[in-house]
Amino acid sequence: QVQLVESGGGLVQPGGSLRLSCAASTSKRIFSITSMGWYRQAPGNQRELVATITSDGDTTVADSVKGRFTISRDNDKDTVFLQMNSLKPEDTAVYYCNAERIFYGSSLMSPEVGSDYWGQGTQVTVSS
C-alpha cells in the first residue's frame, strides 16, 4: 500500500506564508507518479482544487490562488509542495494532497498500480 503523508500546515497571520509538503510512502519502490495536487475544504464548503502538477511539471492553478500559490514537485523524492504566499483569511481550510496514479512494487517489470490516493489533510488557518 502507498500512503501520502502531509506536513507544513498551521496558523499564520494574513499576508504571511506557509509551505506544505506531501510525500508518498511505501515499503516497496515507487516507480512513478502521474499527476499530484492539492485540494482544500473549508467548513460548510465542498472540496475544491487548488493546484495540480504532472510528472513533466505542467501545472494547473485555481484562479483564487493564482499569483500567490506555487506548486512544485521532486520526482526523485516522490514529494509535492505547495508554497503559499500572501495568505488571506479565505484560504483557511483543510488542505489535502492527492496523487492520481502511482506505479510501485518490487519489480518494474510487473508494477502494482493504485489510483486516487489522498493524504490525511493538514489544517491551514489564516487569522490575526
Side-chain angles (χ1 to χ4, degrees):
Q1 285 287 0
V2 181
Q3 291 183 322
L4 299 181
V5 181
E6 301 161 355
S7 62
L11 172 64
V12 64
Q13 292 185 341
S17 298
L18 283 175
R19 188 184 194 222
L20 305 183
S21 300
C22 171
S25 175
T26 177
S27 58
K28 302 180 181 180
R29 285 185 60 194
I30 292 176
F31 301 119
S32 65
I33 304 176
T34 58
S35 179
M36 300 184 77
W38 291 94
Y39 294 72
R40 68 185 182 185
Q41 187 168 18
N45 291 356
Q46 290 186 333
R47 190 172 296 187
E48 63 177 6
L49 179 147
V50 177
T52 63
I53 183 168
T54 68
S55 57
D56 294 330
D58 295 326
T59 61
T60 300
V61 181
D63 288 342
S64 59
V65 304
K66 199 166 292 183
R68 300 187 297 122
F69 291 11
T70 302
I71 188 170
S72 60
R73 63 189 282 176
D74 184 335
N75 290 331
D76 291 336
K77 296 182 178 179
D78 305 314
T79 301
V80 63
F81 306 96
L82 185 68
Q83 178 65 45
M84 305 185 293
N85 299 328
S86 301
L87 282 160
K88 304 176 181 179
E90 51 263 44
D91 295 319
T92 296
V94 177
Y95 284 70
Y96 296 92
C97 172
N98 173 265
E100 178 189 49
R101 188 171 297 177
I102 300 178
F103 295 82
Y104 67 101
S106 302
S107 171
L108 183 58
M109 300 304 294
S110 57
E112 301 174 56
V113 183
S115 299
D116 201 25
Y117 291 93
W118 290 92
Q120 79 281 5
T122 185
Q123 177 70 47
V124 171
T125 302
V126 184
S127 175
S128 55

